[in-house]
Amino acid sequence: MLEWSDRHCRQFHRHITRHTWLYTEMVTTGSLLHGDVQRHLEFNPDEHPVALQLGGSEPADLAQCAKLGQEWGYDEINLNCGCPSERVQKGAFGACLMAEPQLVADCVKAMRDAVSIDVTVKHRIGINDVDSYEFMRDFVGTVADAGCSTFIVHARTAILKGLSPRENREIPPLKYEYAYRLKQEFPELEIILNGGIKTADEMELHLQHVDGVMIGREAYHNPYFMADFDARFYGDHARVNTREEILELMIPYIHRQLELYGNNGKGLRLNSVIRHMLGLMMGLVGARAFRQTLSDSKLLAAGKPEILLDALARMKTVSAFDRSADKPDAPV
């Protein structure tokens, strides 16, 4: 997710779940071929397994960028055929690529020829008023013939004109049955469902029909709901970090990042890391106080990662005056 799932966010999420696959923001081929490769591709070793999502439509460029991704150590290359933003459309990639399945197939083949790691595709179920199941099925079939075996299905149509990216994540109706049917028709393919999923119980239901589930906004806004993923979906019953332990683990990480990239205030800022953690206490008494502390411009300007402990302390103070501290409070 652009400006959301950067390496700091992924490092934070890795303290919650050890096995869940993490995906980068979409990185365009132009950014890698003509920009700062290290800035776009550097990631923390703890993030594995981690996939690099690329945006582009030129097979040769995508092949070169996929090769860079493998050289930097990514576990998977994912091609974005689902982003509906006008800026992305002007670059002739994202969801508009669903109208050109053979081009997508050529892109996949070029990337597969360039790397030995998996090449996957994320897509919508349709574009504009073309949203029949048959349209999506034919798109998947064409791309699968080029060697792609994993498809991540965002189960909404992408409206390329008239809706913002945010509206495109909310207004077009979800059609999970399209992904279910796709798995039935292509049992040899790995089909992963995405879109509007908010609970582990929902995930369990979907996994009766598809091979995997991708979570976007809920994982960002309510990250600790992933705390039981390792046990529930991966069979790893090792002890899970508490919220407080996650804060303590992030402090030395933030100190290192500021030392490496802070550049006396001209580079990385404290808020660049802290902002991803605002939802850690969602549903708990004092969560609002926690968020308010982490959003305090004066405290952030001081540049001290210990603001995390300050936020925790303020949250506990609020909880101390509430006998229902062990229950979710009013909307937070």
Side-chain angles (χ1 to χ4, degrees):
M1 297 183 292
L2 286 173
E3 298 183 355
W4 290 21
S5 54
D6 62 20
R7 60 191 175 90
H8 307 306
C9 176
R10 299 191 303 268
Q11 177 71 27
F12 165 53
H13 284 177
R14 189 52 80 207
H15 289 309
I16 302 172
T17 170
R18 291 176 293 276
H19 300 290
T20 302
W21 279 73
L22 302 177
Y23 283 72
T24 69
E25 305 170 88
M26 180 177 64
V27 182
T28 65
T29 53
S31 297
L32 293 181
L33 298 178
H34 309 294
D36 186 337
V37 172
Q38 179 176 355
R39 182 171 73 85
H40 290 293
L41 294 188
E42 186 175 37
F43 67 96
N44 309 297
D46 294 343
E47 293 176 39
H48 290 291
V50 59
L52 169 64
Q53 185 178 95
L54 293 176
S57 58
E58 292 291 334
D61 290 349
L62 282 165
Q64 188 173 345
C65 292
K67 188 174 181 181
L68 282 171
Q70 179 169 281
E71 290 172 352
W72 275 81
Y74 285 91
D75 301 294
E76 172 191 321
I77 305 296
N78 178 259
L79 177 62
N80 185 306
C81 296
C83 182
S85 79
E86 291 190 8
R87 180 164 63 94
V88 167
Q89 292 177 55
K90 289 178 181 177
F93 56 93
C96 63
L97 281 176
M98 290 196 70
E100 302 184 70
Q102 188 55 55
L103 174 58
V104 176
D106 293 343
C107 291
V108 165
K109 184 179 186 305
M111 288 189 287
R112 290 191 75 249
D113 288 344
V115 300
S116 58
I117 56 178
D118 285 344
V119 175
T120 66
V121 171
K122 184 174 188 289
H123 61 90
R124 295 285 185 126
I125 60 173
I127 49 176
N128 297 326
D129 57 350
V130 183
D131 64 350
S132 68
Y133 169 77
E134 289 73 21
F135 171 77
M136 182 189 69
R137 177 201 62 199
D138 292 346
F139 171 84
V140 169
T142 299
V143 178
D145 286 344
C148 181
S149 60
T150 299
F151 293 83
I152 302 170
V153 184
H154 185 162
R156 299 182 196 268
T157 299
I159 307 301
L160 302 182
K161 297 292 182 182
L163 292 183
S164 69
R166 179 177 180 177
E167 290 170 328
N168 258 294
R169 294 191 297 267
E170 298 172 351
I171 293 177
L174 287 159
K175 297 181 179 180
Y176 295 134
E177 66 273 14
Y178 277 28
Y180 297 171
R181 187 175 171 187
L182 195 65
K183 180 60 184 178
Q184 292 173 350
E185 288 203 38
F186 297 92
E188 73 281 7
L189 299 180
E190 182 180 40
I191 305 299
I192 298 172
L193 181 66
N194 171 236
I197 302 164
K198 295 185 177 182
T199 70
D201 287 343
E202 291 177 66
M203 295 169 67
E204 291 272 17
L205 292 174
H206 290 306
L207 288 171
Q208 297 176 21
H209 304 279
V210 294
D211 301 297
V213 173
M214 173 181 276
I215 306 294
R217 284 172 291 166
E218 191 66 19
Y220 191 88
H221 294 303
N222 182 21
Y224 204 70
F225 106 104
M226 297 187 288
D228 71 341
F229 280 14
D230 291 345
R232 191 164 184 172
F233 301 114
Y234 295 95
D236 181 354
H237 296 276
R239 182 179 173 278
V240 178
N241 289 321
T242 65
R243 290 175 171 89
E244 186 168 344
E245 288 170 338
I246 291 168
L247 295 178
E248 292 170 347
L249 287 166
M250 286 299 294
I251 290 173
Y253 168 79
I254 299 172
H255 274 296
R256 288 195 302 273
Q257 294 301 303
L258 291 174
E259 290 171 2
L260 289 170
Y261 306 106
N263 194 25
N264 295 319
K266 298 179 181 179
L268 179 71
R269 302 294 181 91
L270 179 61
N271 189 53
S272 297
V273 185
I274 294 292
R275 66 190 181 93
H276 300 302
M277 306 173 68
L278 293 176
L280 180 60
M281 302 299 178
M282 177 177 279
L284 301 183
V285 172
R288 185 178 292 108
F290 179 82
R291 291 197 306 271
Q292 288 173 341
T293 305
L294 294 186
S295 302
D296 189 308
S297 58
K298 292 183 179 179
L299 293 175
L300 289 169
K304 296 181 179 180
E306 286 73 17
I307 187 178
L308 294 173
L309 300 182
D310 295 338
L312 179 64
R314 184 180 175 195
M315 176 181 171
K316 288 181 176 180
T317 299
V318 172
S319 300
F321 290 96
D322 192 320
R323 293 181 178 274
S324 61
D326 60 338
K327 301 177 183 177
D329 58 0
V332 292

